[in-house]
Amino acid sequence: MSGAPPSSHVNATHAAQQTPGNTTNNAADVASTSAHPPPNAPDPTTSNNAAQRGLSTAAASSSTELASLKVTLKSSLRQFPDFPSPGILFEDIMPLFSNPSHHNSLITALELQFREKFGANHGIDVIVGLESRGFLFGPTLAMRLGAGFVPVRKQGKLPGECVTEGYQKEYGTDWFQMQKDAISPGQKVVIVDDIIATGGSAAAAGNLVQQIGGQLVGYVFIMELDFLKGRDKLNAPVHTLLSGQDEALQSSK
């Protein structure tokens, strides 16, 4: 007698009917698990929000610290009227270096300002300091930022092959130099100095950086004599740590 026994036919039919049902139930179980994760599973939305709150809190804390440091540093400066010529109110930054606490505050403030303006992951390769007061804090700031330091010096002070750039001073032309191999092509560079006045020396330094292939990202100064409009000569963003003078001193002479 041919054909499967009746019981076999029933079992096969029952199995065929159960298979789709099982698949549907499994899919529903997976969907239910995805929609309702186990109680101990981390919530990615909560984690992201917490991370964002942490970043915001850190940024706010840094801004508060920077504002406090600026007040301390500003109060530590000395001013000398009519120096080096009538109508100039000379800002003396030397007290910032004679006091180790003020010196540390200056470097910390510059570091915070730097990260605020250029980003925490700034990628700056080289800090370039101008002769001579840029040498006072440039190397330490570079070390804090994990960057190299390169000096710009007056003509004839550096050995080896150099590039040269002139700039106008009150009584003629002066010259800056930089060693030709001091910066590799494409490296990101920030130029630092104590005060920006007419902007001539800073502009010359920027030209030197670009002559040897550096990527000039910006300038950072401790102070600015705003009324001289020196930043107008510079071809990269300018950032100053402390508020400067917005008008010339009315000389009593």
Side-chain angles (χ1 to χ4, degrees):
M1 185 174 176
S2 63
S7 59
S8 299
H9 176 72
V10 172
N11 290 340
T13 303
H14 179 71
Q17 291 173 345
Q18 288 296 321
T19 301
N22 289 341
T23 302
T24 303
N25 290 339
N26 290 340
D29 290 342
V30 171
S32 176
T33 301
S34 300
H36 304 285
N40 295 330
D43 185 343
T45 303
T46 302
S47 299
N48 289 338
N49 290 341
Q52 291 174 356
R53 286 196 300 271
L55 290 174
S56 298
T57 301
S61 177
S62 295
S63 296
T64 301
E65 182 182 5
L66 180 57
S68 176
L69 289 171
K70 286 181 178 182
V71 172
T72 299
L73 295 171
K74 183 75 171 179
S75 65
S76 303
L77 301 177
R78 295 188 301 178
Q79 297 179 326
F80 291 88
D82 298 315
F83 181 85
S85 59
I88 299 297
L89 180 61
F90 186 84
E91 300 280 359
D92 183 15
I93 68 168
M94 291 307 167
L96 299 180
F97 300 97
S98 61
N99 182 309
S101 177
H102 292 163
H103 190 177
N104 183 67
S105 294
L106 172 65
I107 300 301
T108 299
L110 285 168
E111 181 183 6
L112 291 173
Q113 172 101 344
F114 198 99
R115 297 187 186 282
E116 179 181 282
K117 300 301 182 182
F118 298 103
N121 300 317
H122 50 77
I124 301 303
D125 300 301
V126 179
I127 298 295
V128 167
L130 275 60
E131 186 172 338
S132 59
R133 287 188 288 270
F135 298 172
L136 293 175
F137 60 93
T140 308
L141 176 61
M143 184 173 61
R144 286 274 190 99
L145 296 171
F149 177 79
V150 171
V152 168
R153 299 214 61 186
K154 297 293 181 67
Q155 188 174 28
K157 300 293 185 179
L158 291 170
E161 188 175 1
C162 296
V163 290
T164 305
E165 184 75 21
Y167 62 97
Q168 292 299 313
K169 298 186 70 174
E170 186 177 359
Y171 299 109
T173 301
D174 210 342
W175 302 89
F176 265 162
Q177 287 188 322
M178 180 184 289
Q179 290 173 314
K180 193 172 183 179
D181 60 356
I183 296 172
S184 299
Q187 283 191 308
K188 294 182 178 180
V189 178
V190 171
I191 294 173
V192 302
D193 202 7
D194 63 333
I195 295 175
I196 175 173
T198 62
S201 59
N207 290 339
L208 288 175
V209 168
Q210 293 174 326
Q211 278 188 53
I212 59 178
Q215 180 183 345
L216 182 58
V217 175
Y219 295 84
V220 172
F221 302 95
I222 296 177
M223 290 193 69
E224 178 176 6
L225 304 184
D226 303 61
F227 64 93
L228 293 175
K229 302 186 183 302
R231 66 169 57 218
D232 293 346
K233 296 180 181 178
L234 307 182
N235 59 353
V238 177
H239 306 290
T240 56
L241 179 64
L242 305 178
S243 58
Q245 302 171 23
D246 56 9
E247 60 182 11
L249 176 68
Q250 297 299 316
S251 175
S252 59
K253 295 183 180 180

